[in-house]
Amino acid sequence: MSPRKSVAEATATRARILDRTLALAVVTGLEGVTIGALADDLGMSKAGVIGPFGTKEELHLAAVDEAVARFRAAVLAPLSGADPGTGRLVRAHDAWFAYMTADGHAGCFLTAVAAEYDARPGPVRDRVRAALARWDAFVLGELDAGLAAGELPPGTETAQLLFELRGVALAADQGIQLWQDPQAATRARRAVRRLLAPA
């Protein structure tokens, strides 16, 4: 076997494991995704599953990183070149809610893992917090740009608005996963538009 083929196969195997980890974690929680469960699900040995990562924790961290990369590709990348402000922020939330329900998704992996690890200190919690902090910084930047452009009422407290937008996203995720409400994403889009209504 050529080195190039073996690297390609290793990369494909790693991607397959991560893909299944993300799918299972939305249902069982990330902590519920064990090496044994993955091995059975993928028809692999436990050594074959853990090999690309080294430890279960490294697998979980890699899953968080993969989820972040997919979120960026689906939600943020399409906004490249758009003017900052509330219009771009509405589009970002629309894309996020669409991502929660696309291709058999059952909500947002990062939102689910944040709830699972919110009171459990450690590297996974730290990685999720860092990812969500970057999203918060993006949202605040868009809100500040919208406020400066007169798209929001003068004196709008952007930190409060960020808090309320977080609440909409959490409600959307719960509506999709827990309540299996087919209208959850639509209701979330309406809520975002109400919060970001022009001055």
Side-chain angles (χ1 to χ4, degrees):
M1 179 184 301
S2 72
R4 181 178 295 173
K5 185 173 182 184
S6 106
V7 168
E9 286 180 352
T11 300
T13 297
R14 187 176 191 279
R16 187 169 159 241
I17 294 166
L18 286 175
D19 192 58
R20 199 64 197 135
T21 299
L22 293 177
L24 291 174
V26 172
V27 177
T28 67
L30 189 57
E31 194 60 33
V33 181
T34 65
I35 303 306
L38 275 172
D40 290 345
D41 195 73
L42 292 167
M44 297 173 64
S45 68
K46 289 182 181 180
V49 169
I50 201 63
F53 307 96
T55 66
K56 179 182 173 184
E57 183 173 82
E58 287 301 322
L59 167 62
H60 289 174
L61 290 169
V64 171
D65 291 343
E66 178 64 19
V68 169
R70 292 182 185 192
F71 178 88
R72 286 180 179 157
V75 176
L76 295 176
L79 303 176
S80 178
D83 292 333
T86 58
R88 186 161 73 169
L89 194 52
V90 166
R91 286 178 54 199
H93 280 84
D94 283 352
W96 188 7
F97 302 142
Y99 181 66
M100 287 183 184
T101 57
D103 301 325
H105 286 192
C108 175
F109 172 88
L110 290 170
T111 303
V113 173
E116 181 183 358
Y117 281 82
D118 60 3
R120 297 167 66 179
V124 173
R125 180 177 183 257
D126 293 345
R127 191 73 57 92
V128 172
R129 277 183 58 136
L132 295 178
R134 289 192 297 272
W135 170 257
D136 281 357
F138 166 76
V139 172
L140 277 174
E142 299 302 302
L143 291 173
D144 288 340
L147 185 58
E151 298 168 353
L152 293 169
T156 295
E157 186 185 345
T158 55
Q160 176 66 30
L161 201 44
L162 167 65
F163 185 87
E164 293 173 20
L165 288 167
R166 273 195 209 132
V168 172
L170 289 169
D173 191 64
Q174 188 178 78
I176 291 164
Q177 289 199 81
L178 179 64
W179 299 109
Q180 298 180 343
D181 177 5
Q183 294 300 312
T186 299
R187 293 184 193 286
R189 289 186 189 99
R190 286 180 194 154
V192 168
R193 281 163 173 75
R194 188 177 300 120
L195 287 170
L196 300 178

